[in-house]
Amino acid sequence: GTTCTCPRCRVEQNNMLIPKKTRQEIYTALFKDGVLVAKKDFNAPKHSELDVPNLMVIKAMQSLKSRGFVHEQFAWRHFYWSLTNEGIEYIRDYLHLPAEVVPATLKRAARPEGTAPRPAGGREGGREGGREGGGAGGFRGDRGDRDSYRREGGGGGGPSRGFGGEKTVPGGDYKPEYRGGAGRGRAAPQ
C-alpha cells in the first residue's frame, strides 16, 4: 500500500523531512536571538515570526532538544527554546559562522553614553532605599494629591468606609460568636 505524505502522517511515522533551506532559516532565527518561541499548533500554516510551517519549527527544535542543543520550556500553549552552549557551537558549525558571532542572549547590553556604572557597594545617597521618592517602590514623583487624599479620608467614603477618620475597635467585653459557617468543615455539636 501507499503511505500518506501529509505533514501529520509524517510526524506519526517519525520521519519528518525538513528542507535544508527551511532548516537553515529556523537555525538562523534561533542563533540570532538565542531563543525561539512557537505556539503549540501543529496545523498552523506558518510560524508567527518565520515564513515556514509551524510544525517544521516545532520538529526541528524537538530534534535539537533530543541532542541537548536547546533547553525547552512549555507554558500556556507555547514552546520556549533557548540555546545551550553545545547548541551554539553546533549551529555555528552548521551555518558556517565565525567564532566572533554570538547570539543576542550572550551580548551585553550597550550602556547609553553619559550613564555611569553602578557602584559596587550598597546603595548610595541618604534617602531610604537609595531611590528618588524613598522606599522600595522606586521613583514616585510628585504625589501631593494622592497623599492628601489618603490623609483626609477623601473619596466620599468617610469613616464608615474605613478610609481615614476615627478608627474604632471593639471593647474588652466583645465576644465574637461563630456558628459554623456554610460548608466549612463539620457542623457544630448541638
Side-chain angles (χ1 to χ4, degrees), residues 139-145:
F139 179 73
R140 297 282 190 222
D142 182 23
R143 302 183 333 163
D145 292 347

Side-chain angles (χ1 to χ4, degrees), residues 15-166:
N15 62 350
M16 180 75 181
L17 300 174
I18 300 174
K20 186 173 185 179
K21 182 182 173 200
T22 303
R23 188 177 301 273
Q24 285 178 336
E25 191 175 341
I26 294 167
Y27 286 3
T28 302
L30 173 64
F31 191 84
K32 185 181 79 149
D33 297 332
V35 295
L36 194 62
V37 178
K39 186 175 182 180
K40 185 182 176 182
D41 183 0
F42 301 118
N43 299 317
K46 297 284 179 206
H47 183 263
S48 60
E49 297 171 9
L50 306 173
D51 193 30
V52 298
N54 199 46
L55 178 66
M56 290 187 180
V57 173
I58 293 170
K59 289 299 167 182
M61 299 308 294
Q62 193 176 62
S63 172
L64 291 175
K65 179 188 162 205
S66 70
R67 292 180 277 169
F69 295 148
V70 293
H71 172 260
E72 181 182 275
Q73 186 71 38
F74 182 79
W76 291 89
R77 295 183 56 177
H78 284 78
F79 291 103
Y80 298 88
W81 296 283
S82 56
L83 274 171
T84 62
N85 291 335
E86 296 81 22
I88 292 171
E89 291 175 25
Y90 172 77
I91 292 182
R92 189 179 282 140
D93 289 343
Y94 186 89
L95 297 175
H96 310 294
L97 298 171
E100 297 82 42
V101 180
V102 294
T105 51
L106 295 182
K107 293 179 183 172
R108 292 206 179 258
R111 193 182 304 271
E113 296 215 14
T115 59
R118 289 186 166 186
R123 300 186 185 251
E124 58 185 300
R127 279 191 270 268
E128 181 185 329
R131 296 183 182 168
E132 301 271 342
F139 179 73
R140 297 282 190 222
D142 182 23
R143 302 183 333 163
D145 292 347
R146 203 181 299 167
D147 288 340
S148 64
Y149 170 83
R150 289 184 178 141
R151 260 187 256 109
E152 297 167 9
S160 64
R161 285 281 195 82
F163 293 105
E166 249 184 75

